[in-house]
Amino acid sequence: MKQTTTEKELVRYSLNEEQEKREILRRYRALLRTLRPKFKKGDKEIVRQAFYMAAEAHKTMRRKSGEPYIFHPIAVAMICVEEIGLGVRSTICALLHDTVEDTDITIEDITREFGNEIARIVDGLTKISTVVDASTTQQTENFKKILLTLTDDPRVILIKLADRLHNMRTLDWMKQEKQLKIASETVWVYAPLAHRMGLYNIKTELEDLSMKYLEKDKYKEIARKLAETRRERTRFINEFIKPIKDKLVSAGFKFEIYGRPKSIHSIWNKMKKKGVVFEEVYDLFAIRVILDSEPEKEKEECWKVYSIVTDAYAPAPERLRDWLSNPKSNGYEALHTTVMGPKGKWVEVQIRTKRMNEIAEKGLAAHWKYKEGTSTEDRFDKWFGQIREMISSQGTDSIDFLEDFKTSFLAEEIYAYTPKGDVKMLPKGSTALDFAFSIHSAVGQKCIGAKVNHKLVPISHILRSGDQVEIITSNKQKPSEDWLSLVVTAKAKNRIKDALKEEKRTIGEDGKYTLKRKLENMGVPVSTYNVDELVSFYGLSSHLDLYYGIAIKKIDLKELKTFSVNGDKLEPPKLEVKTEKPVYNPDSAKTLSKKDSELIIFGETSDKIMYTLANCCHPIPGDDVFGFVSVGKGLIIHRTNCPNAAQLMANQGHRIVKTKWAKNKEISFLTGIEIIGVDDVGVINKITNVISGELKINISALSIESKEGLFNGRLKIFVHDKEELDTLVEHLKLLDGIQGVERFDTDDLV
């Protein structure tokens, strides 16, 4: 695990000018040494040219830590070479990646000095400075731009991941609200993208670093417990490895075998998923066997090692994962099995060759290295093709773009087959209707059902890997609004929206004709100005919505009588303005003063802003919180570790407002705790005595379920702040028979 500043104070940067020059040179030379094996004639000179251009362009700039800005491009270039396995061209692009965005250098300058290829990649890495369309966000547009270049040259996304990784490693220096936005965007989009590119080490580090800011307490707790159990784990791993090692040596294999701790983020996910504490997570580490095999013997030798492992320890048959026969779409190949080790502990064993390991560590870059010389279209090529199709299709200008991209392209995948045996790669959770649209838009629009493995199923049927699917169509079928909830792929969603819009447009023609007659009777034309006035008056979003509403009799145009006519223009009636408590809206976020942006809940500024506490996470004073500006509902306060926080901050960071609590012991907040323990006589009495008797906390509701000697209790309670809640949790954990006490926050609290 990389060293972080979680447990230590931030040390302020303090080099003088001379020391700084030496340090920049030292880092640049270290980059050259790492790159040396990849150099061809003239490469060193062009890298030097890029370094000098970047150093000169950034010479007056500093990072938040006080360091010279040039440290960052050098570090990004080093990650590209050392951790991703990229070469000279990518190094040049990494050194120059911020020059166009942050300095006076232009894309034309880069084209002139380094050619079109490097200029195109740097352009792909340059953020868009303005967004015109109100239905999207800068984050969405920047990400879309990266993806457009990705489909032509995937090095763009690899350099972007290196850039994001270095920013996450140095995030301690940023303000908390910036940390939350960047960490959320990272765990929401960039970590899954690294996983999809096969960069497992980078993916796990991005997840861990995001958790460090989004789940501070849990991160520190798991890191501390991992450190405390390291010696015991090492002893167990050595004991486990010994019999396997002996057998591999006697069988004549060339190999490496070692134990590797699981990431903090994956341990936390297991704790949440299985509802267990750290001590009950059995697979805190994995054993890895890496073989030095000839290409033609790889699969055979991996299975032989599997046989040796399962001879030494009893396997759990349902835990075998065979990615040799059918590699993952990101190129990952390996055998995984879980076996019963010493002291009754389950242990995961991963078996792969050196080539497979390089692809697992370096992902896409290594995958290409081994693909060179073959012209066959692989799964990466198909994936890029699908992304290209999504971006070029209509309907991707919405704020849902990131969500659609994540669901369609970053989820785990399944493989389903047509009756002829053609394979279709789809995200997990895809339905028969998704499959139909993956064949062709026309097939999807006429789909009425399917046969999955020769059995008739509805269009909503969720597919599993290996299913053979035959689509049943009818010329009478057409898409409906509820189809949007039956699909997960971006292609299917966009095609359904297009079909619905087309049908709406056809029906809307009648509404347009009706409106034209009404306006002609008033002596005004159907001009853009007049239609805009009506769209605004009825609170609609487009001309089409107005025409469609008129056509289906949802809008009867009676209100036209209240309009006046001025020449050829309609003038809406004057509305009475009522004085109300101001509602916080997105536009005001841009002009907030510093004082307002640091909103204090229940403090002196609270009367200026309408706010509500989010029902998804029920924040209480003392929780780390942020404000989300919603349209119409004012400011909604969420906890930073709310289930929806990452999505909100990743998709709509411009709506996030810094928020903090003021002390107010007079107001109580509803929250919930879940207690698990041994079902013993009087246990409920003990719990209520602690809550109501000792700590004088009001209980709003209590539900207990008892099963096979264990009980699960859920309590809704009123507390003043997090400190009071933490005290209660600690007191309850000390009771005999109580195995776990956790806070829960769901909509059923309301």
Side-chain angles (χ1 to χ4, degrees):
M1 198 165 30
K2 300 266 177 201
Q3 188 187 12
T4 70
T5 53
T6 312
E7 289 85 21
K8 62 186 178 65
E9 287 296 314
L10 295 179
V11 180
R12 195 72 198 165
Y13 176 80
S14 61
L15 295 186
N16 63 36
E17 195 177 338
E18 198 50 48
Q19 290 170 324
E20 205 167 80
K21 283 180 183 172
R22 284 204 299 270
E23 181 60 20
I24 293 170
L25 210 53
R26 186 190 69 74
R27 294 184 185 206
Y28 167 62
R29 283 172 178 158
L31 173 64
L32 289 181
R33 279 196 302 277
T34 311
L35 202 54
R36 191 172 292 138
K38 300 180 186 242
F39 277 151
K40 295 191 180 93
K41 192 176 178 183
D43 282 348
K44 189 174 178 181
E45 288 68 31
I46 199 168
V47 170
R48 184 190 294 126
Q49 188 184 347
F51 166 69
Y52 283 140
M53 180 185 260
E56 180 62 26
H58 293 300
K59 70 179 178 185
T60 59
M61 295 169 65
R62 298 266 157 187
R63 303 199 84 210
K64 294 286 183 191
S65 60
E67 295 175 344
Y69 195 87
I70 191 64
F71 280 10
H72 171 64
I74 295 172
V76 173
M78 187 65 111
I79 292 169
C80 286
V81 180
E82 205 170 30
E83 300 181 52
I84 301 179
L86 294 171
V88 174
R89 295 276 172 279
S90 300
T91 303
I92 294 163
C93 296
L95 288 169
L96 299 170
H97 80 274
D98 275 337
T99 53
V100 174
E101 188 180 320
D102 296 336
T103 77
D104 294 335
I105 288 174
T106 63
I107 287 295
E108 290 71 30
D109 295 333
I110 290 175
T111 307
R112 193 166 51 251
E113 295 292 329
F114 302 99
N116 287 326
E117 181 190 16
I118 284 167
R120 191 178 68 248
I121 295 173
V122 172
D123 187 39
L125 291 161
T126 303
K127 286 180 188 168
I128 292 165
S129 55
T130 55
V131 174
V132 179
D133 190 348
S135 69
T136 188
T137 71
Q138 205 153 319
Q139 283 157 303
T140 301
E141 290 304 313
N142 285 327
F143 199 73
K144 206 184 297 181
K145 184 182 179 189
I146 290 167
L147 290 174
L148 274 167
T149 322
L150 156 71
T151 57
D152 295 325
D153 195 326
R155 284 174 294 186
V156 171
I157 209 74
L158 297 174
I159 297 165
K160 184 66 190 171
L161 285 168
D163 177 37
R164 179 53 59 119
L165 179 58
H166 186 250
N167 281 333
M168 287 301 296
R169 285 174 180 173
T170 54
L171 201 57
D172 281 315
W173 297 100
M174 304 296 271
K175 288 181 180 173
Q176 192 201 10
E177 61 268 31
K178 194 81 172 168
Q179 289 175 343
L180 292 175
K181 284 183 197 177
I182 294 170
S184 296
E185 195 180 48
T186 299
V187 80
W188 185 250
V189 180
Y190 287 100
L193 193 55
H195 178 76
R196 195 60 180 70
M197 292 295 186
L199 298 164
Y200 287 97
N201 290 348
I202 287 176
K203 172 239 184 191
T204 52
E205 191 180 345
L206 287 174
E207 285 176 338
D208 276 4
L209 288 168
S210 297
M211 186 182 168
K212 176 183 158 185
Y213 299 100
L214 298 172
E215 294 267 11
K216 286 187 290 194
D217 295 341
K218 285 292 175 191
Y219 178 88
K220 285 179 186 174
E221 183 190 337
I222 295 171
R224 178 176 55 77
K225 288 183 175 178
L226 277 174
E228 286 169 359
T229 56
R230 186 177 291 125
R231 188 175 295 174
E232 181 192 331
R233 248 189 352 263
T234 304
R235 198 180 303 122
F236 179 88
I237 288 168
N238 291 339
E239 185 184 342
F240 178 89
I241 282 173
K242 194 175 183 309
I244 299 174
K245 201 172 184 177
D246 293 343
K247 289 189 177 189
L248 290 173
V249 170
S250 59
F253 285 107
K254 293 181 194 168
F255 67 93
E256 281 180 76
I257 184 168
Y258 54 87
R260 197 164 180 274
K262 293 282 179 79
S263 73
I264 293 174
H265 186 266
S266 69
I267 293 169
W268 172 226
N269 272 346
K270 281 193 168 65
M271 287 165 65
K272 284 192 293 185
K273 204 172 176 181
K274 297 181 178 176
V276 296
V277 294
F278 175 87
E279 289 71 21
E280 292 168 353
V281 178
Y282 65 80
D283 49 353
L284 292 171
F285 57 87
I287 302 297
R288 197 168 280 170
V289 183
I290 298 172
L291 299 171
D292 191 354
S293 299
E294 298 295 322
E296 64 279 3
K297 291 184 177 176
E298 283 187 330
K299 286 187 183 179
E300 178 194 338
E301 291 189 352
C302 284
W303 281 110
K304 280 182 181 173
V305 172
Y306 171 78
S307 179
I308 286 170
V309 171
T310 51
D311 277 349
Y313 300 107
E318 72 282 0
R319 296 282 295 156
L320 172 65
R321 300 285 180 267
D322 173 13
W323 287 304
L324 291 184
S325 310
N326 194 13
K328 286 187 176 185
S329 52
N330 59 15
Y332 183 79
E333 295 172 77
L335 272 180
H336 288 198
T337 183
T338 302
V339 297
M340 179 59 78
K343 300 172 187 171
K345 287 186 179 178
W346 289 105
V347 180
E348 184 182 72
V349 182
Q350 302 170 355
I351 303 161
R352 55 202 196 208
T353 64
K354 274 190 168 179
R355 177 191 65 83
M356 295 172 191
N357 190 57
E358 192 177 352
I359 288 173
E361 303 278 317
K362 302 277 170 69
L364 182 61
H367 178 81
W368 273 343
K369 173 180 153 184
Y370 291 104
K371 187 195 168 196
E372 275 174 12
T374 67
S375 57
T376 54
E377 185 186 50
D378 64 13
R379 285 166 176 169
F380 269 123
D381 298 324
K382 287 178 183 171
W383 189 66
F384 294 150
Q386 288 172 349
I387 293 174
R388 199 178 293 120
E389 185 183 1
M390 174 196 177
I391 294 170
S392 59
S393 70
Q394 294 175 340
T396 57
D397 285 335
S398 74
I399 215 149
D400 300 327
F401 175 81
L402 277 182
E403 177 63 34
D404 287 348
F405 177 77
K406 185 178 164 70
T407 313
S408 298
F409 299 112
L410 300 184
E412 285 293 322
E413 280 166 332
I414 60 161
Y415 302 97
Y417 298 87
T418 66
K420 291 181 180 177
D422 295 332
V423 66
K424 293 288 175 187
M425 197 166 72
L426 295 164
K428 200 171 180 179
S430 290
T431 60
L433 190 54
D434 281 301
F435 187 91
F437 275 102
S438 77
I439 293 170
H440 196 279
S441 299
V443 175
Q445 288 176 18
K446 293 176 183 177
C447 177
I448 57 168
K451 282 185 180 176
V452 174
N453 305 326
H454 311 292
K455 185 182 171 188
L456 198 62
V457 297
I459 59 175
S460 60
H461 178 81
I462 293 173
L463 302 176
R464 292 186 303 182
S465 234
D467 281 346
Q468 191 166 39
V469 187
E470 181 187 343
I471 297 299
I472 302 165
T473 60
S474 163
N475 286 330
K476 293 177 183 176
Q477 179 69 298
K478 60 182 180 180
S480 62
E481 195 82 35
D482 61 343
W483 276 25
L484 288 168
S485 63
L486 304 181
V487 293
V488 298
T489 58
K491 179 179 180 180
K493 282 182 183 176
N494 287 334
R495 295 294 179 268
I496 293 165
K497 284 175 187 172
D498 288 347
L500 292 173
K501 201 177 279 183
E502 194 50 51
E503 188 184 0
K504 206 172 178 181
R505 198 173 281 118
T506 306
I507 294 168
E509 285 299 317
D510 291 340
K512 189 176 182 180
Y513 178 70
T514 303
L515 178 64
K516 186 182 176 190
R517 281 202 343 263
K518 294 260 186 187
L519 292 183
E520 281 173 352
N521 287 339
M522 294 175 72
V524 292
V526 186
S527 64
T528 303
Y529 177 88
N530 288 334
V531 178
D532 281 344
E533 285 293 342
L534 289 168
V535 166
S536 174
F537 178 79
Y538 287 108
L540 302 169
S541 56
S542 68
H543 289 201
L544 180 57
D545 285 345
L546 177 69
Y547 301 148
Y548 182 72
I550 296 167
I552 63 169
K553 307 284 191 288
K554 192 176 175 182
I555 297 169
D556 60 13
L557 296 174
K558 280 180 188 171
E559 293 85 357
L560 273 177
K561 293 173 187 172
T562 63
F563 279 70
S564 54
V565 176
N566 184 2
D568 62 355
K569 290 181 179 178
L570 279 178
E571 286 193 358
K574 296 279 186 290
L575 296 174
E576 283 183 46
V577 179
K578 293 180 183 177
T579 307
E580 290 184 8
K581 186 177 179 180
V583 173
Y584 197 83
N585 65 61
D587 296 330
S588 68
K590 296 167 189 169
T591 56
L592 279 177
S593 70
K594 190 160 185 181
K595 184 181 175 188
D596 282 341
S597 68
E598 294 184 6
L599 172 76
I600 299 177
I601 306 300
F602 304 120
E604 59 185 4
T605 63
S606 63
D607 59 338
K608 294 182 189 173
I609 291 172
M610 188 175 94
Y611 61 83
T612 50
L613 301 178
N615 286 331
C616 47
C617 60
H618 292 277
I620 61 175
D623 285 332
D624 285 337
V625 289
F626 66 92
F628 176 74
V629 179
S630 69
V631 179
K633 292 183 183 175
L635 197 64
I636 300 175
I637 311 300
H638 291 264
R639 278 163 45 198
T640 55
N641 60 357
C642 165
N644 299 318
Q647 183 180 355
L648 289 174
M649 288 192 266
N651 283 342
Q652 301 180 58
H654 64 296
R655 291 175 178 265
I656 304 302
V657 176
K658 184 179 174 183
T659 309
K660 63 180 180 181
W661 298 99
K663 291 285 182 186
N664 191 328
K665 286 286 184 182
E666 293 167 19
I667 301 174
S668 292
F669 295 82
L670 186 67
T671 189
I673 53 171
E674 184 170 28
I675 308 173
I676 298 166
V678 178
D679 189 10
D680 200 1
V681 178
V683 70
I684 306 303
N685 197 33
K686 286 181 201 170
I687 291 168
T688 52
N689 273 345
V690 168
I691 299 171
S692 303
E694 286 180 37
L695 300 176
K696 305 288 188 286
I697 291 172
N698 287 331
I699 299 174
S700 165
L702 168 65
S703 68
I704 302 282
E705 280 185 26
S706 182
K707 191 177 180 184
E708 297 170 358
L710 290 178
F711 80 87
N712 185 303
R714 282 196 157 201
L715 294 90
K716 299 178 193 177
I717 53 175
F718 285 102
V719 295
H720 294 102
D721 53 32
K722 186 171 181 286
E723 196 179 330
E724 192 171 32
L725 179 64
D726 290 344
T727 303
L728 172 61
V729 169
E730 290 309 312
H731 275 63
L732 290 172
K733 282 180 176 176
L734 294 173
L735 293 176
D736 289 340
I738 300 298
Q739 292 186 346
V741 184
E742 290 289 333
R743 179 176 177 180
F744 80 89
D745 293 290
T746 58
D747 288 340
D748 59 4
L749 270 177
V750 179

